[in-house]
Amino acid sequence: MEIRILDDHEAASRAAADLFVETSHRALERSGRFTVALAGGSTPKRAYELLASDPRWRAVPWDRTHVFFGDERMVEPDHELSNYRRAKEVLLDNVPLPKANIHRMRGELEPESAVNACEAELHSVFGPGVPEFDLVLLGMGADGHTASIFPGTRAVAESCLVTSVRPADVTPDVNRLTFCLPLLNNAARVVFLATGADKAQVLAKMRGTDTARHLFPAAMVNARETLLLTDQPI
Ligand code: 6PG
């Protein structure tokens, strides 16, 4: 995992948006399309705003871009907790991305149906086998979780592509859908955006011994290229 320390949240958000643009161009040259999974949570909001603004929105081949989500809260798509709703408001509604290319996780369904629908959507775009995303954007919790793969839960060991989880003692207290590590680790590029003092401690521990690293699902992400952007001097 390559760690890049930026001056502040704004600089880290700009770096994430620039990597998004750069990866889209690399993907277009390689395959004629760009497949990306967006991160949930609050940290990426500024990066999404930058992607929906001049000059970056003009630089992304939105018409050949497919947007997925690395995890989702199991709520209606217009619920305030929905990662899809958050991305829709600041990014998806503000760029010329074909609606058919937005592949949201169906959090409003029962868990098993939602997992099956997500896997069917993945295979409809990628074909059989483990999808290879051009880019997966991820956040990180202060406990070292990423997407909705929380420490000590079965999601850490899942060999499937997508699973539903009911994390204990986590805010917000809702069921979740999440990409699993085999899918995350098959990406061409993963970019973590982890800013704010509340992430500093876990980031420092993640740079520690292998034993310490093993405690944190975020440290288990090992794609072909894994970058971590932070504003913390770890
Ligand atoms: C979610 C996210 C989750 C998030 C981290 C960090 O659905 O909440 O996918 O993994 O990225 O919890 O959240 P913040 O960016 O809000 O700190």
Side-chain angles (χ1 to χ4, degrees):
M1 178 183 291
E2 178 191 337
I3 296 181
R4 296 181 186 175
I5 301 175
L6 290 303
D7 289 341
D8 52 27
H9 176 66
E10 178 71 15
S13 301
R14 279 201 303 269
D18 289 342
L19 282 164
F20 186 106
V21 173
E22 178 209 337
T23 312
S24 73
H25 294 171
R26 184 169 73 174
L28 213 63
E29 285 169 17
R30 190 166 72 101
S31 67
R33 72 179 187 181
F34 173 43
T35 57
V36 57
L38 298 182
S42 57
T43 301
K45 181 172 185 284
R46 181 59 182 146
Y48 296 162
E49 288 171 345
L50 290 167
L51 277 169
S53 313
D54 266 326
R56 293 179 183 84
W57 79 269
R58 299 176 190 278
V60 177
W62 296 108
D63 60 327
R64 281 167 287 173
T65 295
H66 286 267
V67 171
F68 288 77
F69 293 78
D71 74 324
E72 184 55 281
R73 288 81 180 274
M74 298 204 72
V75 295
E76 292 293 331
D78 59 355
H79 192 286
E80 64 177 359
L81 290 178
S82 165
N83 286 330
Y84 162 77
R85 173 179 161 177
R86 289 177 176 195
K88 184 177 186 294
E89 288 173 347
V90 294
L91 176 58
L92 305 182
D93 281 352
N94 305 315
V95 292
L97 178 67
K99 295 290 181 265
N101 290 15
I102 302 173
H103 308 280
R104 72 176 181 87
M105 289 178 153
R106 306 278 302 279
E108 68 277 17
L109 301 178
E110 288 303 307
E112 186 177 349
S113 302
V115 168
N116 293 339
C118 184
E119 290 185 344
E121 191 90 12
L122 285 165
H123 292 312
S124 73
V125 172
F126 291 93
V130 182
E132 180 188 325
F133 276 89
D134 297 306
L135 177 61
V136 174
L137 295 177
L138 289 172
M140 184 186 306
D143 61 355
H145 81 260
T146 191
S148 286
I149 307 173
F150 291 88
T153 65
R154 70 173 165 75
V156 170
E158 289 285 7
S159 58
C160 51
L161 299 179
V162 182
T163 192
S164 64
V165 294
R166 173 76 197 193
D169 307 322
V170 168
T171 304
D173 181 18
V174 290
N175 277 323
R176 297 169 181 236
L177 290 165
T178 188
F179 281 7
C180 299
L181 285 166
L183 181 49
L184 299 178
N185 287 337
N186 202 46
R189 172 179 266 182
V190 167
V191 174
F192 281 95
L193 184 55
T195 58
D198 64 322
K199 312 292 170 72
Q201 194 173 13
V202 67
L203 289 170
K205 286 178 181 174
M206 275 177 53
R207 295 191 90 171
T209 64
D210 274 350
T211 310
R213 287 163 51 86
H214 182 69
L215 295 175
F216 307 119
M220 299 171 193
V221 175
N222 183 23
R224 190 170 339 138
E225 183 186 13
T226 308
L227 301 170
L228 185 141
L229 307 175
T230 186
D231 59 356
Q232 296 302 306
I234 50 175

